[in-house]
Amino acid sequence: MADPNNYPKLHNAAWPGVVGKGGEGGEPVIPLDTLLELTAKAEVDGQKFDGIDLWLADPHLSIDSDKDQVKRMVDHIAGYGLKVGSFVAPIWAGAGGGSAMGSAEERKRFVSQVRKAAAIGEQMRELGIRPTGGIRIDSSTGVGDWDKDPVGNTKIIAETFREAGKAAQDHGEFLVAEGEICWGGMQSWRENVRLLEAVNMPGVVGYQADMAHSMLFTLGYNAEQDRLLPEGYDWQDRSVLDAAYRQVADALRPWTYDFHVAQNDGTVFGSGDHEKTGRHVQVTDPNGKLDVTKHAGYWLRDDQGNLTKKMRHIAWDGCMFPNSVMTAQQTWNDVLGAMIKVRDAHGWRE
């Protein structure tokens, strides 16, 4: 048998241990060490995760970490045999940032958070633990506020993203805006394209495609005019979903620089600061609407079916799961198994 593909590298993500956790009545945040341990222990047929993508905020790794603190974290993660990939920058008001279409002060804080993340990214690249990955952002504003002036607000968000892009560029980094139906100016596939075209920094400010969130665009939640699946769609007719999902991927693929393998059941919910957004489900969930291996190919191959090889690593994203699921080793073995299938189908060897 030929050697298995070794690209794209397979990463787990640390932020599901934080997103939706903590706060009054919430489950406790899952420590980074617990996630590192579960990631390092996962194994399927002798294959393991190559790395982890990081949440740059307390209690995982503070965005205000100095160089010594970053170096200690690098050594710590390396001790688990893992590399580091993409970051989530804490650009929201509650985390020290601000709305990308807010006041001058809010937008300044947004850019400042990106600049700090980019400096950490540069240091980790220099230390050799971070061969690949961008910095995740979003508009940090709700759809309702954006909707008061769609054209004007998208223009302001684009200006903020452009300034953030320059800050990232100063450190040799790039930004990836994650399209979710809860973020103003990013709540539909068409609005994401408009925004990235307005930013106009190809290679520096692009799109982070989460398979599950991007599929929600086909249903038109928060953007009925951009709906692609018919009302009352019968999920048994896979060809209709395939065509709609391909339309989304074709529109956004040229801008896609970061990719999350994920599954969802087509439903939405709200949690914490998130307005209505997509619900991730476990990769083994029988209600999952995506054919994970097949639909990953819509992002990892071009419209002719050729490998793009743009993503040097891919990550699993599964937010809002109960801690009992998140801390079970089998969860991560199942995830790793699904990601290996994606790499077998759409990867390559170097």
Side-chain angles (χ1 to χ4, degrees), residues 259-300:
F259 181 64
H260 290 167
V261 178
Q263 177 63 286
N264 74 4
D265 60 5
T267 64
V268 297
F269 76 118
S271 176
D273 291 338
H274 280 57
E275 294 182 27
K276 192 165 57 176
T277 192
R279 186 187 296 276
H280 285 107
V281 297
Q282 290 186 67
V283 71
T284 53
D285 193 318
N287 294 315
K289 303 302 185 195
L290 292 167
D291 178 331
V292 172
T293 305
K294 174 180 168 181
H295 290 127
Y298 291 15
W299 298 100
L300 300 174

Side-chain angles (χ1 to χ4, degrees), residues 116-135:
K116 292 175 191 175
I120 292 172
E122 182 177 35
Q123 184 184 351
M124 285 197 179
R125 288 202 323 276
E126 289 170 352
L127 291 170
I129 199 168
R130 187 167 174 263
T132 177
I135 298 170

Side-chain angles (χ1 to χ4, degrees), residues 205-261:
V205 181
Y207 185 67
Q208 183 182 70
D210 175 291
M211 287 179 67
H213 289 310
S214 299
M215 194 209 81
L216 263 289
F217 293 151
T218 67
L219 290 163
Y221 290 113
N222 292 346
E224 186 61 38
Q225 68 277 14
D226 293 334
R227 183 187 182 104
L228 297 173
L229 290 175
E231 287 278 359
Y233 168 60
D234 176 7
W235 290 97
Q236 300 306 310
D237 189 347
R238 305 294 295 180
S239 64
V240 177
L241 172 62
D242 289 351
Y245 198 55
R246 189 173 288 284
Q247 188 174 338
V248 169
D250 284 350
L252 285 161
R253 190 187 309 107
W255 292 99
T256 300
Y257 310 144
D258 204 65
F259 181 64
H260 290 167
V261 178

Side-chain angles (χ1 to χ4, degrees), residues 70-109:
V70 172
K71 174 69 166 65
R72 283 198 297 275
M73 179 59 77
V74 164
D75 291 344
H76 185 62
I77 294 172
Y80 288 91
L82 298 167
K83 296 289 189 184
V84 173
S86 304
F87 294 160
V88 172
I91 43 75
W92 314 279
S99 167
M101 57 174 229
S103 66
E105 180 57 35
E106 287 176 289
R107 294 166 63 197
K108 186 177 170 185
R109 289 201 304 267

